[in-house]
Each structure stands twice: as structure tokens, then as C-alpha cells.
Amino acid sequence: MACNVQSLCLIFSITLSVLLGPNFAGASSIGVCYGMVANNLPPPREVIDMYTSNQIGRMRLYDPNLEAFEALRNTAIEVLVGVRNEDLQQLANSYSAAQNWIATYITPYSHQIQFRYIAVGNEVIPGDSAQYVLPAMKNLQNALGNRGIKVSTSIATSVLGVSYPPSAGAFSQDTMEYMVPIARYLNSIGAPLLANVYPYFAYIGDTIDISLPYALFVSGKVVTDGRLSYDNLFDSMVDALHAALGKAGAPQVQVVVSETGWPSHGNGMVTTPANAQIYNSNLISHILSSRGTPRRPGNSTETYLFSMFNENMKPGAAVEQHWGLFHPNKWPVYPISFL
């Protein structure tokens, strides 16, 4: 219906923007992981306000945190929510457990939260829990019914036995028995493979063959792989996964990058706020350009930055506590725009 009165049109436009939320009012398609391994973070409602004020349109949660869910109601932030690794066995062995998980964590919120994916486990392949991933995925997908939410699992790039050149990408012998049927199941339901892709770790693991500028999107040099050309390590790593999916009989499966980032401290001059800013800012520009990867051109790679905050209780090396875009006091670690 055409509007004849300018003021009524303006009121309608403002009301529609409020009702539809940030994803319809210019929010970025970039996601950010909301990790909570810390004892000094702001309460979830303040965190969700930070997502909205920074126009971050997507969020990854590592478990179904109910306080975060309450704060997410009616925000239009799209959510990738995880299943705890310790819950995989029960969800794999019991369809009723999967029904109960959906009834507890999805059904009460699904009309007010835009759930995008359910990550059934995080980096459990290979390992003792790998055998439970696919059965748990199937049970949860069946329990979801026709809600339009897709299940997947989040893998590390270490599932690859070969990653270079990207066209040679293939799952390792240790992971193939799990990854091939998972890939084919994802193909059958039209769901993506979630992958944690870290050029930082690839670089520090091979500083002879990989240059820092190539990892930071500022190389200017091109690495050729047959007819394809790569000017950054991120695309190379993502396309190695695409190649592995093709070899597994699942060429249509998209890769969603469920984690990526660069630490701002903990490993000398490699992990400075400047380098972290360069990587994340260039990555955002690359994703928002919809350039895609050489193997999948023109198809923007859905990506979630790790992570929202520096998390002071993360175990391991010093870098593990310094992946955040923000300090716990909500001040940015370095300037960054998500648009």
C-alpha cells in the first residue's frame, strides 16, 4: 500500500526498524564469539547491548546460556549456539534426550531469538567423543522438526591430513571415518560445516614457508594453485576444507568459519594490538566485500570473530587470554568497525 502522508510514512519506517531489530537496520553480517571463560565480564544484558551498539549482527554462544538467551530476546541478533562436548554421548544415545534439549533450550526462545545453527560439539574430532557427533546431530535435527534451524559441528582445521596446496585438501586418516559421513549428512540436509580457522596458528607453526604479511592479508604477493590464485592464508585454509569436502562426496557443503582471530598479546611482536587490528579489520573488509574464496568466488564466507572479550581464565599459553576485541571493562582493545 502506498503512503500518501509523509509523516505517517516516517512513523511507519521508524516503527518497522524497531520491530525488526538491528539486522534490518544496518547491522553487520559479521559474527563475534561470546566466550565466557572469565570471572570479570559484564553481565549478558550489557554484552548484548554492546553487540547492538556496535552493529554486530551475529553471535556464537558455546553453550545454551539462559541468561544470555533472556537478553537476546527480540534483538534480531542471529545466534549460533553450541552443545556442550560433555553432552554429546547422551544426545547420541537417546532421541528423548535430544527432544528434551530442544524443548529446554530452543522451543521457549525460538519465537524471539533467531537461532541460525546448532554446533554439535566443538573440536572433538578426532577424539573419544568423535563417535557421538553424527548420531547426536541426527537426533537433534530430527527433534527440531521444520524450524529451519540447521545442525552441524565445529571442527579444527587439524582434521585435514593435507592442506597445501588448497586443491589437495583432504581429511586425515584419523578423521576420515567421522568426517566423510558427517560431510555427506550435512550435504543431505543443506547445512554448512563449521570450522575454526586460524591463520595465526598456521603462521607460527611454519614461519619459514608462510610470511606474516600473507597471514595478515597484506602480502601483495600471489600464491598460485593451478588456475587459482591466493593473496591471503585465510582463503587458502578455507578452500582446503572445500577441497576435502569435495573429495568426501559433499561438494555442495559450504564452510562457515565459526572462529577466527588474532591475539593481541602473549607471543612477542607477532601478537601486538596492531597486528590483531590489521588481521581482524582486513578480514572484515574481505568478508563484507562478498569476494568469496578463489574456489568459491562471489560467495561470501560467513565468519565469526574470536572473541568478544579477553578471557582471563582460559588455560594454556599467554596468548589464550588475549583474543578479545574488548577488555572486560567494555573498552576496545583496539579500534575496529564491523561495517
Side-chain angles (χ1 to χ4, degrees):
M1 181 183 296
C3 286
N4 297 319
V5 181
Q6 185 175 5
S7 60
L8 288 177
C9 288
L10 178 60
I11 292 170
F12 177 78
S13 176
I14 293 171
T15 302
L16 187 65
S17 176
V18 170
L19 288 174
L20 293 178
N23 282 352
F24 295 87
S28 175
S29 61
I30 297 293
V32 176
C33 301
Y34 178 12
M36 302 182 188
V37 188
N39 60 8
N40 57 353
L41 299 182
R45 190 163 299 279
E46 292 183 21
V47 176
I48 276 62
D49 287 344
M50 291 176 66
Y51 274 72
T52 302
S53 64
N54 284 281
Q55 297 177 289
I56 303 168
R58 292 172 178 162
M59 173 187 292
R60 179 181 181 181
L61 285 169
Y62 289 88
D63 59 64
N65 182 286
L66 298 186
E67 193 176 355
F69 280 2
E70 289 297 330
L72 280 162
R73 287 186 189 270
N74 299 314
T75 63
I77 295 171
E78 297 179 348
V79 178
L80 188 174
V81 63
V83 171
R84 299 179 187 94
N85 291 348
E86 56 266 32
D87 293 339
L88 293 178
Q89 183 174 359
Q90 183 182 22
L91 292 169
N93 293 336
S94 169
Y95 179 60
S96 63
Q99 289 178 306
N100 184 62
W101 196 96
I102 297 299
T104 302
Y105 299 124
I106 302 298
T107 303
Y109 303 95
S110 60
H111 293 295
Q112 295 174 304
I113 297 177
Q114 295 189 29
F115 291 108
R116 191 164 177 82
Y117 311 114
I118 297 174
V120 184
N122 183 53
E123 297 189 353
V124 297
I125 302 171
D128 293 340
S129 296
Q131 62 186 309
Y132 304 122
V133 173
L134 184 55
M137 287 171 60
K138 290 180 175 179
N139 281 343
L140 286 166
Q141 190 67 61
N142 290 335
L144 279 166
N146 60 357
R147 297 173 192 267
I149 305 167
K150 298 297 185 183
V151 301
S152 185
T153 188
S154 190
I155 53 95
T157 52
S158 57
V159 298
L160 297 177
V162 179
S163 60
Y164 186 82
S167 60
F171 296 119
S172 70
Q173 290 297 318
D174 289 343
T175 65
M176 193 173 296
E177 65 175 302
Y178 308 111
M179 290 306 306
V180 170
I182 286 172
R184 292 177 179 176
Y185 178 68
L186 294 173
N187 200 60
S188 72
I189 64 172
L193 176 66
L194 308 177
N196 300 338
V197 177
Y198 283 103
Y200 166 76
F201 286 118
Y203 166 70
I204 65 169
D206 187 5
T207 57
I208 294 175
D209 294 320
I210 300 173
S211 74
L212 182 59
Y214 187 64
L216 294 174
F217 292 88
V218 294
S219 173
K221 295 183 180 179
V222 171
V223 177
T224 58
D225 178 13
R227 60 182 179 81
L228 302 179
S229 299
Y230 292 85
D231 60 10
N232 68 83
L233 183 54
F234 176 86
D235 281 351
S236 175
M237 295 174 74
V238 171
D239 271 356
L241 288 165
H242 284 141
L245 287 165
K247 293 180 180 70
Q252 303 305 315
V253 173
Q254 299 289 323
V255 173
V256 167
V257 176
S258 48
E259 287 182 14
T260 191
W262 199 278
S264 60
H265 183 73
N267 187 18
M269 295 305 295
V270 175
T271 55
T272 62
N275 280 346
Q277 181 187 37
I278 290 168
Y279 176 82
N280 284 323
S281 294
N282 286 337
L283 173 71
I284 290 169
S285 296
H286 179 61
I287 299 303
L288 295 182
S289 74
S290 297
R291 192 179 91 182
T293 67
R295 198 177 185 93
R296 299 279 180 93
N299 186 13
S300 182
T301 305
E302 183 176 338
T303 299
Y304 296 77
L305 296 179
F306 185 84
S307 64
M308 192 66 172
F309 297 103
N310 286 335
E311 298 172 65
N312 67 349
M313 296 182 69
K314 284 186 70 69
V319 294
E320 293 300 328
Q321 298 182 10
H322 294 92
W323 291 87
L325 303 170
F326 294 89
H327 296 288
N329 65 5
K330 302 194 285 189
W331 282 94
V333 176
Y334 42 82
I336 194 161
S337 170
F338 302 93
L339 297 174

